[in-house]
Amino acid sequence: QVQLVDSGGDSVQAGGSLRLSCVVSPSSSSTSYVGWIRQAPGKEREGVATIDIRGGATYYSVSVKGRFIVSQDNAKNTVYLQMNSLKPEDTAMYYCAATNPGLSGGYVLSPSFFTYWGQGTQVTVSS
């Protein structure tokens, strides 16, 4: 069973930056992919970034590519989402999510790709 604790959300001005953290238990090796999914009020969930824990490959949605960076620190069992040049439309609850181990390939940005979810952390960007 994988457990995730996400944190780092805050209120910032447009153009600012935030870094979200996701601690993976028991360890990063207990999953194959960790993703960040966001949901704004009244909108569908949207996968914005995913990292392949084993090889480090990263995937981004068009809406965040070039502004967000997903990374991992295996020694800390933590996945990060560095968010730069934030826009009001980035306002949402952000969740980290993980798959079962041994998974290879698929729709890596689809929320349905993930089995385990963190509790969410709120990001609010004001203009």
Side-chain angles (χ1 to χ4, degrees):
Q1 184 85 8
V2 176
Q3 293 186 322
L4 306 169
V5 177
D6 42 31
S7 63
D10 206 344
S11 297
V12 296
Q13 295 279 339
S17 298
L18 280 176
R19 188 177 78 162
L20 306 184
S21 300
C22 175
V23 179
V24 183
S25 300
S27 72
S28 298
S29 60
S30 57
T31 183
S32 297
Y33 296 88
V34 174
W36 289 95
I37 294 93
R38 68 186 182 186
Q39 187 166 26
K43 294 191 175 181
E44 299 276 330
R45 291 180 301 174
E46 175 193 13
V48 297
T50 295
I51 186 166
D52 183 333
I53 293 296
R54 300 154 297 184
T58 56
Y59 309 85
Y60 298 95
S61 68
V62 172
S63 60
V64 307
K65 194 169 186 178
R67 300 188 297 123
F68 290 11
I69 301 170
V70 59
S71 63
Q72 60 180 330
D73 183 335
N74 290 336
K76 295 182 178 180
N77 295 316
T78 301
V79 172
Y80 301 100
L81 184 67
Q82 178 67 43
M83 305 187 295
N84 302 317
S85 302
L86 282 161
K87 304 175 181 180
E89 51 263 44
D90 294 318
T91 294
M93 184 70 80
Y94 283 72
Y95 301 88
C96 69
T99 66
N100 282 309
L103 200 63
S104 181
Y107 293 101
V108 297
L109 287 174
S110 171
S112 62
F113 185 66
F114 300 95
T115 301
Y116 306 100
W117 291 73
Q119 80 283 3
T121 186
Q122 177 69 38
V123 172
T124 303
V125 184
S126 57
S127 58

